Amino acid sequence: MKTGNQSVKTDFILLGLFQYGPMDTVLFAVIAILFSVTLMGNIILILLIQLDTRLHTPMYFLLSQLSFIDMMYISTTVPKMATNFLSNSKTITFLGCEVQAFVFLVLGGTEALLLGFMSYDRYVAIYHPLRYPVLMSKKICWFMITCAWTSCSINSLIHTLYAFQLPFCRSRLINHFFCEIPSMLPLVCQDTSQYEHTILLSGLIILLLPFMAILASYACVLTVVFQMSSGKGQTKAISTCSSHLTVASLFYVTTLSTYTRPHSLHSPEEDKIIAVFYTIITPLLNPFIYSLRNKEVIRALRRVCVGE
């Protein structure tokens, strides 16, 4: 693996979520089912938004983008993890690992910013309903999406190019189920403390700022909700906000735990369990939280099914 001060670009070995053993077939089946349900949930939601003109609004446009990202997000990591349960070879090429890390960072960062934009959409809808068509015009929505994809692509490219030129000379065993940059730093045979500071900075900007914006926007929304005279309206709004906030918090808290802690505080087994939440659980829950608890989406599903 090491030639002088340089690392040889050879394959890595993914140790996986669990120790591979007699339960591999069962674990493969479970992961495959979760993956299929996630894809189906997000595909159905995207199709509904496309087919029903009543859902052609900024909120559902952003939601369709979230569903697209979640499909790509889970497809970046889960297929390789699932096939490793049935394969004797757990290897991933250097280039494959680099591509996986890049795409994962792009999608994860874009989702983090998009969730923040979605909370801003709800804030404008409730606090400035008369100006909503102007503040959330189609042009502004596309500007938000473009900014999110562009900024996260640049951030991901910088981190990926830098991280993969480091000398990986200690081992080629990645104690994870996919190529995630923090999990690869233990393989580097030089001091990475300075680079960890840049990971921390990126995490604070891309993860913490949108999360704080979400908390602030929902606080404002709930302030308006508690001023409602209708108890039924309060209950419905609180139920909706709490479910959205729970899923968003699950995503942000787990990703912040991975990307804002120094390497010395990381535990490989703990990191893998935490990663399951933001790579599998949140993409699985998002389409159901944002659709099954939404009467407009349910009505759209009925209209499409009966051919109205």
Side-chain angles (χ1 to χ4, degrees), residues 3-192:
T3 306
N5 230 356
Q6 303 297 319
S7 60
V8 178
K9 294 186 177 181
T10 186
D11 295 351
F12 291 106
I13 298 175
L14 296 169
L15 295 183
L17 182 58
F18 303 109
Q19 289 286 339
Y20 295 107
M23 294 294 290
D24 285 356
T25 304
V26 175
L27 291 172
F28 170 82
V30 171
I31 295 299
I33 290 170
L34 291 177
F35 179 68
S36 300
V37 171
T38 302
L39 288 186
M40 287 301 298
N42 284 292
I43 288 171
I44 290 171
L45 189 54
I46 290 173
L47 289 176
L48 278 178
I49 294 171
Q50 291 295 318
L51 294 173
D52 196 302
T53 55
R54 295 177 181 86
L55 300 183
H56 291 180
T57 64
M59 180 179 78
Y60 292 107
F61 170 73
L62 295 176
L63 184 54
S64 66
Q65 289 288 317
L66 179 66
S67 290
F68 172 74
I69 290 171
D70 280 338
M71 284 195 304
M72 299 297 293
Y73 196 47
I74 197 169
S75 299
T76 303
T77 58
V78 170
K80 177 61 179 175
M81 176 179 69
T83 54
N84 279 353
F85 283 121
L86 302 181
S87 172
N88 291 325
S89 173
K90 319 298 180 186
T91 61
I92 183 171
T93 65
F94 187 94
L95 178 60
C97 192
E98 193 170 13
V99 170
Q100 186 183 60
F102 170 75
V103 174
F104 178 80
L105 282 178
V106 172
L107 295 170
T110 304
E111 174 156 344
L113 295 180
L114 182 60
L115 288 171
F117 292 146
M118 291 173 69
S119 70
Y120 170 75
D121 170 77
R122 292 299 81 206
Y123 168 80
V124 173
I126 292 177
Y127 259 76
H128 305 285
L130 298 179
R131 299 181 62 197
Y132 182 79
V134 176
L135 295 176
M136 288 300 297
S137 65
K138 189 173 183 179
K139 184 177 180 180
I140 290 178
C141 287
W142 274 111
F143 177 73
M144 288 178 172
I145 296 300
T146 303
C147 285
W149 280 102
T150 303
S151 60
C152 291
S153 296
I154 293 172
N155 175 72
S156 178
L157 183 63
I158 292 171
H159 278 289
T160 305
L161 290 178
Y162 181 82
F164 280 83
Q165 58 82 40
L166 293 171
F168 296 102
C169 52
R170 287 181 177 166
S171 170
R172 61 192 188 104
L173 301 175
I174 301 175
N175 196 356
H176 212 319
F177 57 88
F178 70 102
C179 293
E180 189 173 28
I181 288 176
S183 68
M184 300 181 69
L185 294 183
L187 310 185
V188 177
C189 55
Q190 72 179 40
D191 181 30
T192 59

Side-chain angles (χ1 to χ4, degrees), residues 227-275:
Q227 293 173 355
M228 292 180 177
S229 56
S230 169
K232 186 177 180 180
Q234 283 185 352
T235 303
K236 177 186 173 184
I238 291 172
S239 175
T240 302
C241 287
S242 62
S243 60
H244 291 185
L245 192 56
T246 299
V247 176
S249 298
L250 185 64
F251 175 79
Y252 285 108
V253 171
T254 52
T255 50
L256 282 167
S257 174
T258 297
Y259 288 93
T260 60
R261 283 188 302 163
H263 167 62
S264 59
L265 298 180
H266 279 264
S267 161
E269 299 307 317
E270 182 182 301
D271 286 348
K272 287 188 283 188
I273 298 301
I274 291 174

